Amino acid sequence: MAYLLMFVTLLHLVTLAMLFIATMEKSWWVWNGMESSDLWYNCRYDNDSGTWLCASTEETEWLQSVQVLMVLSVVFSSVSFLVFLGQLFTMSKGGLFYFTGLCQVVAGLTAFTAALIYTLHNKEILLDSWENKSGHFGYCFILAWVCVPLLLCSGVMYIHLRKKE
């Protein structure tokens, strides 16, 4: 049981880190390796200065939905971890981690919804940058999709995890 507890805790921390990276990093959509777009900025690499030049994205309703859902996913997962730590030290023997698991499942569903909206509406989200360019989804977008099953699985594991002495 101690190994399961360590595994679930490690899985939670890894998933939380991946969610945070997916939300904050600059690679949800990539063009030719020199331009990228994320939830907050459109950036292009300047060869002369060797830096990224970034401008705020034009906020559409779809982009705002994805932003809010990804931030909520990070918040729910963070709250879930803090509640888990609190329950670990205060819950009586034999108790189940229902609230922790519920928060993880909600975090997974919000990340799923955000990634799905970005998948289906990326042309509307990238409206000003879309013209005459083809690109592909970046690693942050893929991280968001990878987080979805990990969050849902860890939520289910938390629900079935029982506290032993």
Side-chain angles (χ1 to χ4, degrees), residues 52 97 103 127 165:
W52 285 93
F97 298 95
C103 284
L127 193 57
E165 255 186 273

Side-chain angles (χ1 to χ4, degrees), residues 96-118:
L96 294 170
F97 298 95
Y98 284 129
F99 187 70
T100 303
L102 180 66
C103 284
Q104 277 294 88
V105 169
V106 170
L109 293 175
T110 55
F112 171 75
T113 307
L116 186 64
I117 288 171
Y118 198 88

